[in-house]
Amino acid sequence: MRSERTDADLLAESVLAAPPRLGPVRMLAIDGPSGAGKSTLARDVVRVLRECGVAVTLVSTDDFATWDVPVAWWPRLLAGVLEPLAAGRPGSYRRMDWTGPAPELGQWVRVPVPDVLVLEGVSAGRASVRHRLSVLCWVSGPPPAERLERAVARDGESAGPRLREWQRFEHGWYAVDRTAHNADRTIGLVHPDEEG
């Protein structure tokens, strides 16, 4: 690792030090609300792990979720990716295509059996998968208004109303799921409305 250690370095070290719980695979879940910086952190962790010679695969919950189905898509991830990897077999799934007027199932993505699976996105560290995780990282990011501003800048002004609805959904989801409370590592300050 580099002399100036980043959050990505520390997360990479944590997951490599933890036992595999998804069959032969170590799984790192990077969870937190929209606009918190999860995707950037996940890409940085993947880069650090690859620099260390670790076989790593990144899967984003954005490849599964839609505005209308924010978390109920989980059986697709379980059957297509997690169960095969746990058995030491490659997995696959169809990525949501967001380029049209409404998201729809798009291209197939193959998931080889890695040393580390990084699962990134809203609900990646949900209660039903925690027993399979080597490390759960919670990324809180800035306060909700700033996260909304970031998400609108990323997705476009027309997505603003849907992103506001999404934030309300996330607030309820995290209060029930208690993701931040169960995290092994937290990046950023946990805001009182995220603690559940």
Side-chain angles (χ1 to χ4, degrees):
M1 301 287 166
R2 294 173 279 287
S3 58
E4 191 175 315
R5 291 162 26 130
T6 65
D7 289 330
D9 292 317
L10 296 172
L11 266 181
E13 289 174 9
S14 293
V15 76
L16 292 176
R21 294 197 172 110
L22 184 67
V25 179
R26 289 173 171 82
M27 183 163 52
L28 164 64
I30 299 177
D31 203 333
S34 58
K38 300 178 301 298
S39 299
T40 300
L41 177 62
R43 285 190 299 270
D44 290 346
V45 170
V46 166
R47 179 183 42 76
V48 169
L49 288 168
R50 286 186 176 147
E51 288 172 358
C52 294
V54 175
V56 59
T57 298
L58 173 62
V59 173
S60 173
T61 64
D62 287 349
D63 288 350
F64 296 87
T66 66
W67 294 121
D68 299 324
V69 186
V71 294
W73 46 262
W74 190 261
R76 285 182 46 229
L77 175 70
L78 189 62
V81 178
L82 301 184
E83 288 174 351
L85 293 185
R89 298 187 322 268
S92 63
Y93 65 93
R94 286 183 70 187
R95 173 182 286 146
M96 294 306 298
D97 180 356
W98 286 81
T99 58
E104 60 185 12
L105 288 173
Q107 297 292 321
W108 280 95
V109 176
R110 286 192 39 77
V111 182
V113 181
D115 298 320
V116 175
L117 172 67
V118 177
L119 181 60
E120 171 274 321
V122 172
S123 83
R126 62 178 64 199
S128 65
V129 78
R130 287 187 195 135
H131 69 288
R132 296 290 200 156
L133 298 176
S134 297
V135 177
L136 169 56
C137 175
W138 173 261
V139 182
S140 65
E146 191 175 331
R147 289 196 316 265
L148 179 62
E149 188 177 306
R150 279 183 178 186
V152 168
R154 177 192 67 209
D155 297 343
E157 194 62 44
S158 63
R162 298 303 296 259
L163 287 165
R164 286 180 190 83
E165 288 175 29
W166 186 272
Q167 268 196 345
R168 285 190 292 276
F169 167 80
E170 288 174 338
H171 178 76
W173 169 263
Y174 289 128
V176 172
D177 194 69
R178 297 180 52 83
T179 316
H181 176 78
N182 285 283
D184 300 302
R185 299 190 66 85
T186 298
I187 295 176
L189 299 173
V190 176
H191 302 285
D193 65 333
E194 296 167 345
E195 291 184 293

